[in-house]
Amino acid sequence: SQTIHQWPATLVQPVGSPLSLECTVEGTSNPNLYWYRQAAGRGLQLLFYSVGIGQISSEVPQNLSASRPQDRQFILSSKKLLLSDSGFYLCAWSPVGRAIYGYTFGSGTRLTVV
Amino acid sequence: QQQVKQSPQSLIVQKGGISIINCAYENTAFDYFPWYQQFPGKGPALLIAIRPDVSEKKEGRFTISFNKSAKQFSLHIMDSQPGDSATYFCAASLNSGYALNFGKGTSLLVTP
């Protein structure tokens, strides 16, 4: 069976510090991978998605970047965090060829920038 | 630009009652409409989904009603239970797309 792992679960970082959130998927090959951010009252905002190694599509210009160094690994990064980067970050995956039908989310990372 | 508008923002229902959450969309090309359920501190999980070729889909106590001409769809939770207390998100997308367009969510509280 397929599983998605996301860590850390919670993170408190000072303004201006770097960020690295990691997501891995097991039990499948060539998954579509996604990073979403959930802010209070704003729903789920798609940040990045990837359909293959090294292929990253950005949906919202911002202080964040994403990378996919391996088939089942997706990393969300920032060089310098802003207060506005606080939120609940969710990684998700879906099967190749059935992108929107099989969205499975990880358990999320609660990021607080202080 | 919010492509899917969801209401109400919050909802309180007594145990045994019917919970109704509504969503509206603008893009007539959307052809896949899922609902996700999220418990506190967890990621959302797919609850039920509908395609526009049917007007209603039922799975247990959960029903999606779809009105293509009005570009609206809704989630009905029959015999609501305290365990249904969660945040519900509607979404819409192109069948061939990668990204789901989510509503802002509805926080449902079912009181004993």
Side-chain angles (χ1 to χ4, degrees):
Chain A
S1 63
Q2 301 88 6
T3 56
I4 180 168
H5 302 280
Q6 189 179 345
W7 67 92
T10 59
L11 191 60
V12 179
Q13 292 284 96
V15 169
S17 64
L19 173 74
S20 180
L21 302 181
E22 189 165 343
C23 173
T24 60
V25 180
E26 296 178 356
T28 187
S29 296
N30 196 28
N32 300 307
L33 296 172
Y34 310 84
W35 279 110
Y36 277 83
R37 178 168 59 197
Q38 184 175 11
R42 298 188 61 184
L44 292 159
Q45 181 186 36
L46 178 63
L47 303 176
F48 303 94
Y49 71 91
S50 171
V51 300
I53 296 175
Q55 301 180 60
I56 308 294
S57 296
S58 174
E59 292 294 307
V60 181
Q62 58 204 323
N63 187 41
L64 301 170
S65 62
S67 62
R68 184 170 177 173
Q70 300 181 38
D71 181 43
R72 292 169 291 175
Q73 184 185 29
F74 207 22
I75 297 172
L76 183 69
S77 303
S78 174
K79 293 182 178 179
K80 290 185 178 181
L81 285 169
L82 306 172
L83 287 173
S84 58
D85 292 324
S86 293
F88 191 48
Y89 288 83
L90 289 156
C91 180
W93 78 274
S94 65
V96 61
R98 292 178 53 81
I100 60 171
Y101 297 136
Y103 259 54
T104 301
F105 285 89
S107 54
T109 295
R110 175 72 61 188
L111 172 66
T112 303
V113 182
V114 297
Chain B
Q1 182 181 357
Q2 192 74 23
Q3 297 201 54
V4 179
K5 296 182 179 180
Q6 183 173 347
S7 63
Q9 184 175 349
S10 61
L11 182 61
I12 300 175
V13 174
Q14 283 193 330
K15 179 181 176 181
I18 302 174
S19 303
I20 301 175
I21 304 171
N22 300 299
C23 286
Y25 63 97
E26 289 297 323
N27 189 342
T28 55
F30 285 155
D31 52 9
Y32 176 67
F33 303 90
W35 286 87
Y36 280 76
Q37 179 188 55
Q38 183 182 31
F39 293 105
K42 303 296 184 182
L46 179 64
L47 183 63
I48 187 173
I50 197 169
R51 302 283 296 278
D53 52 347
V54 297
S55 60
E56 186 176 283
K57 183 175 181 179
K58 183 177 181 179
E59 291 185 1
R61 297 184 292 109
F62 300 89
T63 299
I64 300 179
S65 297
F66 185 81
N67 187 329
K68 188 174 182 179
S69 61
K71 295 186 290 186
Q72 295 176 347
F73 57 111
S74 60
L75 176 69
H76 292 65
I77 306 175
M78 312 300 288
D79 186 27
S80 298
Q81 300 296 312
D84 297 331
S85 298
T87 299
Y88 292 82
F89 292 94
C90 63
S93 180
L94 298 173
N95 188 30
S96 59
Y98 291 100
L100 287 171
N101 301 282
F102 285 91
K104 291 187 176 182
T106 296
S107 178
L108 171 65
L109 176 64
V110 181
T111 59

